[in-house]
Amino acid sequence: MQSSWTNWTNTFLLSIALLGSCLSVLAAATDVSYDSRAIIINGERRVIFSGAIHYPRSTPEMWPDLIQKAKEGGIDAIETYIFWNHHEPQRGKYHFSGNLNFVKFFKLVQKAGLHVVLRIGPYVCAEWNYGGFPVWLHNLPGVQLRTDNQVYKDEMQRFTTKIVNLCKEANLFAPQGGPIIFAQIENEYGNIMEPYGAAGKSYIQWCATMAESLNISVPWIMCQQSDAPQTMINTCNGFYCDKFTPNNPKSPKMWTENWTGWFKNWGGKDPYRTAEDVAYAVARFFQTGGVFQNYYMYHGGTNFGRSAGGPFIATSYDYNAPLDEYGNLNQPKWGHLKQLHAAIKSGQKVLTSSSPSTTQIGNGVDLTTYVNNPVGDKFCFLSNNNTTEDAHVDLKQDGKYFVPAWSVSILAGCNKEIYNTAKVNTQTSVIVKKSVGSNNESAKFQWAWLSEPMWDVLTGKGKFRETKLLEQKEATGDASDYLWYLTTVEINDTTTWTNAILRVNTTGHVLHAYVNQNFTGSQWTADGDHRFIFEKPITLKSGTNFISLLSATNYGSFFDLSPAGIVGGPVQLIGKGNVTKDLSSNPWSYKTGLGGERARLYKVKQSPMLGRGKWAFKGLPSGKPMMWYRTSFNAPSGTDPVVVDLQGMGKGQAWVNGRSIGRYWPSFLAGKDGCNTSCDYRGEYSSDKCAMNCGNPTQRWYHIPRSYLGNGKHTNTLTLFEEIGGDPSQISFQTLSIGFVCGSVYEGKTLELSCQGGQTISEIHFASFGDPQGNCGSFKKGSCEAVNSLSTVQKACVGKTTCSFNATEATFGSVNCGHKYSKRLLVHARCL
Ligand SMILES: *[C@@H]1O[C@H](CO)[C@@H](O)[C@H](O)[C@H]1NC(C)=O
Ligand SMILES: *[C@@H]1O[C@H](CO)[C@@H](O)[C@H](O)[C@H]1NC(C)=O
Ligand SMILES: *[C@@H]1O[C@H](CO)[C@@H](O)[C@H](O)[C@H]1NC(C)=O
Ligand SMILES: *[C@@H]1O[C@H](CO)[C@@H](O)[C@H](O)[C@H]1NC(C)=O
Ligand SMILES: *[C@@H]1O[C@H](CO)[C@@H](O)[C@H](O)[C@H]1NC(C)=O
Ligand SMILES: *[C@@H]1O[C@H](CO)[C@@H](O)[C@H](O)[C@H]1NC(C)=O
Ligand SMILES: *[C@@H]1O[C@H](CO)[C@@H](O)[C@H](O)[C@H]1NC(C)=O
Ligand SMILES: *[C@@H]1O[C@H](CO)[C@@H](O)[C@H](O)[C@H]1NC(C)=O
Ligand SMILES: *[C@@H]1O[C@H](CO)[C@@H](O)[C@H](O)[C@H]1NC(C)=O
Ligand SMILES: *[C@@H]1O[C@H](CO)[C@@H](O)[C@H](O)[C@H]1NC(C)=O
Ligand SMILES: CC(=O)N[C@H]1CO[C@H](CO)[C@@H](O)[C@@H]1O
């Protein structure tokens, strides 16, 4: 491996030299290699902190700020997948502009001085529609996805080559002077490989050979692939990876997905993973010999458009990441990890040139020592994995340490604590939403509305016919979430059929039924999973009856193997005496998508309120399914992120100025149970631990990127397609900013407080240096404090955007806390 990249680099350098090209390109060429203890970049032995930011989950206007904040947070590399279905929505028709311009994204990363980890996949999972595969791929004759199938392999090779060539043409690989230091082929295949048998094994070999043949001259990785062919580095994904060992002893220990939190499903709660536990997982990884780790996600962002995967992935992909959905610092997570990166980096020389040796001290306490011989420099990790018992560890001449339960201390020189994962010294920021304009009656929006045009489908008129119930991906090619299934039934025996039951056996996810133009009901899977049975009473008449079924779905990661829609049914009518009519083999007529989608009702031309005669303005309907609504609104002034509050709406899709901001479903509430008022960071995390927002809408607020908005008066249009019925009169727009910050530091540490976006600290609600107690928002004085705590903080902070001071008696004056183990400073301040 290593020699081949070097050869390639030499050839490259030679050709540049022969062309007499500029020296700056020559100087920028970067050599990447590795061994089991380091990533080696231009000869420098490094540990690498990487953060995932998926370019289509934000906007090009947001990219520079996100990248800069990652850099300031101590991140060395940005990792992203490549999203095939968005780049090639129709076979051979490519899109690489706007927020799909990953070349631009990588150049911005490079400009900031960071590296790139390129995960091509091209299967990516990622809670993305159909795992990133274009649905047309599914419909190619003879194709079988992710296995030793020639049709599939040809397509995968063609797309992978296309992406690699785009990167080569833009000189993006490290030896070309670009930022890309690693590339990934396939994705977590090891987790699902078994059912594929021998074909799976030969497929993964083929992936390795194909990838190698692309001559990218940086190392390839495969994640969760314990049998990765030897030129590939296999890597770990998970909440913790301390127990992972790569399958090749020469490979570095790499963690490609350290889950900083979790994603959200419709009907799910807000996942929350504490800063203490993420820091613990990362520190443990480096304690046990880790070399490269990536935060999945560092910025989660938004599933705009129809990009969210199925079943039931929400539009927000916040992930409880260090940067929130809108790009705000998620504090204290961002800052606590920043300090962790700095602490580990301070030991980089020792860590990358020696192997760990660990002594078990007992009761879950481990001391891991790295010694850089013959120099003798030392670096230590002192961990306590006991979930309940704090440890007091006496290392004799190297000092005494307090190591809280489930934490890791980092000891510079093995005798000075520079960081502990459970001792958070970073401010907590409380983000608040501010209403834009007033909420009073006369300030309410003027709404226009229009019923979804359905005259054709409700009278059985579709676009194509089959005498069976089709699979939805095959019928729609994913041109829309929606597919109409239409049939008729002749009734002559009214005694049996006047009062009947319509029963539809469907693979989900959502079904709406109409009989003779009459809305009969809607239903969806309770748990966001696959099959359900729709059963509603209907009235049939003598003669021809129209049955019109609308199936709505999006696609999950393993939907290549499981069907979607009403495929196969059965669809039945049950009459008096349980007489059953099976309609499954009837002639069925089909129509993909909504009338309003075809008419592009979300597109706005000139004055948005000037509908071409169809839009109505009077008597705003509420609670009616299948409605289009639109209104115009002013862009909020300033630069704070903007959201639309869709409280009161049911389920549907939303557009701002013609651009989709995603699917919405605020009527879907998170379960009432399983939220705790307190969250204990100790013990293994799982995605429902410390969950929040029980009993509330899974997602009430929807991000409108600033760049989607125009300036000035009434230049913006919000368009909604409401599927199940909602009340638009409750809708409002809000901006997000920091309302409060809380600081907490232990004695001897520096407290830094800051607001953002031009805000200043306007007021100090609480400040006490001593033994104060409580959580952010409810701090209380303890038994002792420095008398001028409050005035000292006020003097240093009020009127400033940022302030910092040391939590020491030198700053605050003496505190008589007697025997207390450690003093600390708590501050609660307001940003305005
Ligand atoms: C990769 O390099 C090898 C040897 O230099 C060459 O034979 C092959 O054609 C190259 N492949 C590509 C895709 O550039
Ligand atoms: C905790 O650490 C001890 C070593 O001190 C180890 O034997 C044990 O497996 C660890 N427990 C967990 C849950 O990691
Ligand atoms: C944690 O410490 C307690 C008290 O010493 C002990 O009983 C328990 O076994 C320890 N648990 C682990 C996982 O080490
Ligand atoms: C209500 O809205 C009207 C029109 O925008 C405005 O003139 C009035 O001041 C508002 N009243 C309050 C109490 O905000
Ligand atoms: C009623 O319909 C059935 C088929 O659905 C048919 O066999 C029968 O002849 C019809 N009877 C009358 C009176 O039209
Ligand atoms: C629904 O369809 C599935 C698959 O064909 C079948 O296993 C199940 O029994 C059906 N359920 C009902 C109530 O018809
Ligand atoms: C529609 O349903 C209503 C009751 O829900 C019923 O009164 C009406 O007759 C139905 N119309 C048709 C055309 O079936
Ligand atoms: C019809 O089926 C239902 C449930 O499947 C059953 O409860 C009912 O007794 C049946 N009625 C007749 C008349 O068979
Ligand atoms: C809530 O907290 C209690 C006490 O810490 C714990 O026993 C329980 O498992 C927690 N429940 C959840 C759902 O996290
Ligand atoms: C805080 O203490 C450090 C030494 O620990 C010192 O360098 C720094 O100047 C102090 N900062 C303030 C604001 O007093
Ligand atoms: C892919 C992977 O490592 N998954 C693991 C992530 O962590 C959860 C919970 O700790 C495990 O259940 C998964 O197996």
Side-chain angles (χ1 to χ4, degrees):
M1 279 297 285
Q2 205 175 327
S3 67
S4 75
W5 315 319
T6 315
N7 282 347
W8 197 90
T9 312
N10 287 344
T11 316
F12 176 78
L13 294 182
L14 191 63
S15 57
I16 293 284
L18 287 175
L19 289 168
S21 217
C22 65
L23 275 169
S24 62
V25 173
L26 197 70
T30 305
D31 182 68
V32 184
S33 65
Y34 60 82
D35 60 27
S36 67
R37 290 299 317 132
I39 307 298
I40 306 165
I41 299 182
N42 283 339
E44 191 191 353
R45 302 181 64 78
R46 304 268 304 269
V47 293
I48 299 282
F49 295 100
S50 166
I53 301 178
H54 295 158
Y55 53 92
R57 284 177 158 140
S58 54
T59 62
E61 292 77 10
M62 290 169 72
W63 292 344
D65 181 57
L66 297 174
I67 294 164
Q68 191 57 33
K69 284 171 173 162
K71 183 181 183 175
E72 282 165 18
I75 293 296
D76 306 300
I78 303 295
E79 189 202 53
T80 184
Y81 283 128
I82 296 290
F83 298 86
W84 188 357
N85 61 338
H86 279 210
H87 290 301
E88 197 181 353
Q90 289 160 290
R91 190 160 178 268
K93 290 200 173 140
Y94 296 102
H95 291 281
F96 294 107
S97 62
N99 70 351
L100 296 177
N101 189 347
F102 64 81
V103 167
K104 177 175 177 179
F105 179 70
F106 292 166
K107 285 185 170 167
L108 287 169
V109 173
Q110 180 174 30
K111 200 170 149 202
L114 302 183
H115 303 294
V116 166
V117 176
L118 169 68
R119 301 175 81 187
I120 299 178
Y123 175 78
V124 300
C125 205
E127 289 74 62
W128 192 259
N129 196 36
Y130 205 37
F133 276 153
V135 168
W136 57 256
L137 189 65
H138 170 90
N139 295 340
L140 290 180
V143 80
Q144 243 192 310
L145 305 183
R146 299 181 80 192
T147 188
D148 200 347
N149 169 280
Q150 201 57 46
V151 179
Y152 168 70
K153 287 192 301 183
D154 287 349
E155 294 299 317
M156 172 168 168
Q157 178 158 13
R158 184 178 55 75
F159 181 73
T160 305
T161 307
K162 171 103 191 161
I163 297 302
V164 163
N165 287 346
L166 281 174
C167 291
K168 281 185 184 170
E169 282 158 23
N171 293 323
L172 290 174
F173 288 106
Q176 300 176 285
I180 302 172
I181 56 169
F182 286 104
Q184 178 182 310
I185 196 76
E186 249 298 342
N187 188 51
E188 297 192 340
Y189 190 69
N191 296 353
I192 56 119
M193 179 164 158
E194 201 159 325
Y196 292 97
K201 284 202 186 326
S202 56
Y203 165 63
I204 210 73
Q205 285 294 337
W206 173 84
C207 289
T209 310
M210 187 272 285
E212 286 301 336
S213 77
L214 296 173
N215 295 350
I216 61 169
S217 64
V218 299
W220 283 98
I221 58 179
M222 280 187 176
C223 61
Q224 300 284 105
Q225 193 68 44
S226 59
D227 62 347
Q230 284 305 295
T231 52
M232 304 276 128
I233 308 173
N234 79 310
T235 67
C236 174
N237 293 350
F239 288 122
Y240 306 90
C241 280
D242 46 344
K243 289 170 187 151
F244 166 78
T245 319
N247 65 343
N248 180 347
K250 290 191 182 129
S251 290
K253 176 165 168 170
M254 292 176 70
W255 185 1
T256 35
E257 291 192 15
N258 164 11
W259 301 326
T260 52
W262 203 243
F263 57 86
K264 222 163 41 161
N265 286 309
W266 300 119
K269 308 168 185 82
D270 284 3
Y272 174 69
R273 189 180 185 191
T274 61
E276 289 93 330
D277 185 52
V278 181
Y280 172 80
V282 175
R284 281 286 299 157
F285 181 69
F286 286 94
Q287 175 174 15
T288 53
V291 164
F292 167 102
Q293 80 92 30
N294 175 65
Y295 293 101
Y296 189 97
M297 301 294 297
Y298 196 76
H299 170 255
T302 309
N303 292 315
F304 296 116
R306 301 192 301 112
S307 65
F312 287 15
I313 304 291
T315 293
S316 170
Y317 198 64
D318 180 88
Y319 224 89
N320 195 223
L323 300 178
D324 74 10
E325 177 176 5
Y326 317 100
N328 298 308
L329 304 184
N330 175 9
Q331 293 279 50
K333 196 176 268 186
W334 180 87
H336 191 48
L337 295 174
K338 171 186 170 136
Q339 289 169 10
L340 170 64
H341 305 150
I344 292 175
K345 277 286 170 67
S346 75
Q348 179 167 271
K349 261 215 164 72
V350 186
L351 290 173
T352 57
S353 50
S354 59
S355 293
S357 108
T358 295
T359 315
Q360 296 187 357
I361 295 180
N363 212 25
V365 176
D366 284 359
L367 175 67
T368 299
T369 308
Y370 288 84
V371 188
N372 181 7
N373 282 323
V375 191
D377 288 346
K378 286 189 189 173
F379 199 75
C380 284
F381 293 84
L382 182 58
S383 62
N384 176 7
N385 75 5
N386 195 298
T387 55
T388 51
E389 298 294 317
D390 299 338
H392 294 274
V393 184
D394 187 349
L395 296 180
K396 304 281 163 9
Q397 75 275 11
D398 287 332
K400 290 186 176 156
Y401 301 92
F402 170 61
V403 191
W406 201 255
S407 82
V408 182
S409 290
I410 296 177
L411 309 183
C414 291
N415 60 13
K416 179 168 182 274
E417 178 179 318
I418 53 171
Y419 185 87
N420 173 278
T421 58
K423 300 175 187 170
V424 176
N425 291 304
T426 299
Q427 76 177 29
T428 297
S429 301
V430 181
I431 305 273
V432 294
K433 300 185 179 77
K434 289 189 197 148
S435 288
V436 176
S438 63
N439 279 333
N440 77 28
E441 209 51 47
S442 48
K444 281 208 171 141
F445 302 102
Q446 199 201 343
W447 286 95
W449 56 272
L450 179 63
S451 294
E452 159 66 9
M454 295 188 288
W455 61 270
D456 54 345
V457 288
L458 297 189
T459 53
K461 294 183 190 66
K463 297 279 174 190
F464 56 96
R465 292 173 167 273
E466 290 272 354
T467 47
K468 60 175 183 179
L469 289 158
L470 293 176
E471 203 275 338
Q472 192 150 342
K473 284 189 291 294
E474 283 162 21
T476 67
D478 199 32
S480 166
D481 283 3
Y482 302 98
L483 177 64
W484 283 102
Y485 293 73
L486 316 169
T487 197
T488 55
V489 56
E490 296 293 331
I491 295 297
N492 56 13
D493 172 6
T494 48
T495 325
T496 308
W497 294 110
T498 301
N499 294 308
I501 287 174
L502 171 64
R503 180 192 284 166
V504 182
N505 185 338
T506 175
T507 61
H509 306 134
V510 178
L511 184 75
H512 309 290
Y514 290 78
V515 174
N516 295 331
Q517 295 99 56
N518 239 15
F519 177 64
T520 304
S522 300
Q523 196 174 320
W524 45 87
T525 49
D527 55 358
D529 214 14
H530 310 281
R531 190 167 286 279
F532 68 92
I533 313 283
F534 173 98
E535 233 177 47
K536 296 271 190 271
I538 57 167
T539 307
L540 296 174
K541 59 183 192 203
S542 180
T544 304
N545 293 269
F546 295 102
I547 313 279
S548 307
L549 307 174
L550 180 62
S551 170
T553 178
N554 57 327
Y555 307 106
S557 34
F558 297 110
F559 267 55
D560 50 325
L561 304 172
S562 44
I566 312 176
V567 51
V571 174
Q572 296 163 326
L573 296 175
I574 297 140
K576 197 171 181 181
N578 289 351
V579 182
T580 302
K581 238 190 231 294
D582 195 316
L583 309 180
S584 308
S585 309
N586 265 27
W588 286 89
S589 181
Y590 291 89
K591 188 179 166 189
T592 295
L594 305 169
E597 284 180 305
R598 283 180 180 232
R600 295 171 181 261
L601 291 181
Y602 49 84
K603 283 283 174 205
V604 181
K605 295 211 180 78
Q606 297 153 358
S607 176
M609 299 309 286
L610 293 178
R612 269 164 262 134
K614 287 195 211 145
W615 292 86
F617 299 92
K618 293 224 169 97
L620 179 66
S622 166
K624 260 186 88 175
M626 306 299 277
M627 293 296 298
W628 291 81
Y629 293 103
R630 76 186 187 197
T631 191
S632 58
F633 64 98
N634 294 326
S637 58
T639 56
D640 288 337
V642 181
V643 292
V644 57
D645 179 354
L646 293 181
Q647 177 85 316
M649 296 307 286
K651 171 189 191 295
Q653 295 182 27
W655 294 262
V656 168
N657 296 332
R659 303 171 77 169
S660 172
I661 59 167
R663 302 184 182 98
Y664 68 80
W665 202 340
S667 63
F668 208 147
L669 306 186
K672 283 204 190 76
D673 302 323
C675 290
N676 256 349
T677 44
S678 67
C679 164
D680 188 345
Y681 74 88
R682 301 174 304 178
E684 280 214 9
Y685 180 73
S686 65
S687 58
D688 52 8
K689 183 180 172 186
C690 295
M692 303 196 294
N693 201 36
C694 284
N696 293 322
T698 290
Q699 189 179 352
R700 176 174 159 186
W701 291 278
Y702 296 80
H703 184 203
I704 304 175
R706 276 276 174 192
S707 58
Y708 287 18
L709 295 172
N711 296 314
K713 283 214 150 214
H714 293 289
T715 50
N716 300 290
T717 302
L718 173 71
T719 308
L720 304 171
F721 170 64
E722 173 56 53
E723 200 175 310
I724 60 177
D727 175 12
S729 70
Q730 296 181 44
I731 290 174
S732 66
F733 296 87
Q734 291 157 21
T735 58
L736 305 182
S737 57
I738 296 182
F740 298 96
V741 293
C742 289
S744 158
V745 285
Y746 290 85
E747 184 172 18
K749 299 282 179 184
T750 304
L751 177 64
E752 249 184 68
L753 294 179
S754 58
C755 300
Q756 69 173 18
Q759 291 178 295
T760 56
I761 297 166
S762 63
E763 218 179 316
I764 309 295
H765 289 290
F766 181 94
S768 178
F769 179 56
D771 65 346
Q773 307 293 323
N775 298 316
C776 181
S778 60
F779 289 148
K780 285 192 179 64
K781 282 179 187 175
S783 58
C784 59
E785 71 166 352
V787 286
N788 48 2
S789 298
L790 184 62
S791 61
T792 307
V793 174
Q794 280 170 335
K795 218 174 283 169
C797 298
V798 173
K800 306 220 168 104
T801 54
T802 175
C803 60
S804 78
F805 33 78
N806 291 335
T808 56
E809 294 198 349
T811 311
F812 287 94
S814 68
V815 189
N816 185 11
C817 282
H819 63 281
K820 283 279 187 262
Y821 196 84
S822 58
K823 294 189 267 295
R824 63 176 183 159
L825 169 68
L826 296 183
V827 179
H828 182 206
R830 180 158 187 219
C831 292
L832 206 63

